[in-house]
Amino acid sequence: MEFTLFFLRIFFVDILYASPILGFLLLVIALVGYLIGRLEGWSAFDALYHAFVNATTVGYGDFRPSRKGSKALAILLAIIGLIFTGMIVAP
């Protein structure tokens, strides 16, 4: 139990130090998702939903881009999501 508490303390301190970068990546994910939604004609909520499903690599498939520009942005979104997830898992 002592090791678990030590790990959690170090983990949350690391997350705190990385929070400006993580916050920036979250903002980029939201903005790119919104842009994809605008290009595809989705509502803001659906665009944000797609962005975070894509960024976390869950990929339900209920929303998917059909235009070339949107597909390119979706690839960028997935890469940013992998960086975000890697930063959380890495500490």
Side-chain angles (χ1 to χ4, degrees):
M1 183 70 175
E2 183 179 332
F3 176 75
T4 303
L5 293 175
F6 176 74
F7 169 78
L8 289 173
R9 187 173 30 243
I10 296 298
F11 176 76
F12 287 117
V13 167
D14 287 348
I15 292 295
L16 181 66
Y17 287 140
S19 64
I21 297 170
L22 293 173
F24 174 74
L25 289 174
L26 279 174
L27 181 65
V28 170
I29 289 169
L31 290 175
V32 171
Y34 180 74
L35 182 58
I36 291 171
R38 292 284 298 211
L39 291 172
E40 293 293 324
W42 299 335
S43 70
F45 179 79
D46 289 341
L48 191 63
Y49 166 77
H50 171 264
F52 283 96
V53 166
N54 188 11
T56 57
T57 67
V58 173
Y60 293 125
D62 48 356
F63 290 97
R64 46 192 178 113
S66 59
R67 301 172 188 255
K68 286 183 182 181
S70 300
K71 289 179 182 180
L73 287 172
I75 292 170
L76 176 67
L77 193 59
I79 292 169
I80 294 169
L82 289 172
I83 293 169
F84 179 81
T85 304
M87 286 186 67
I88 290 178
V89 173

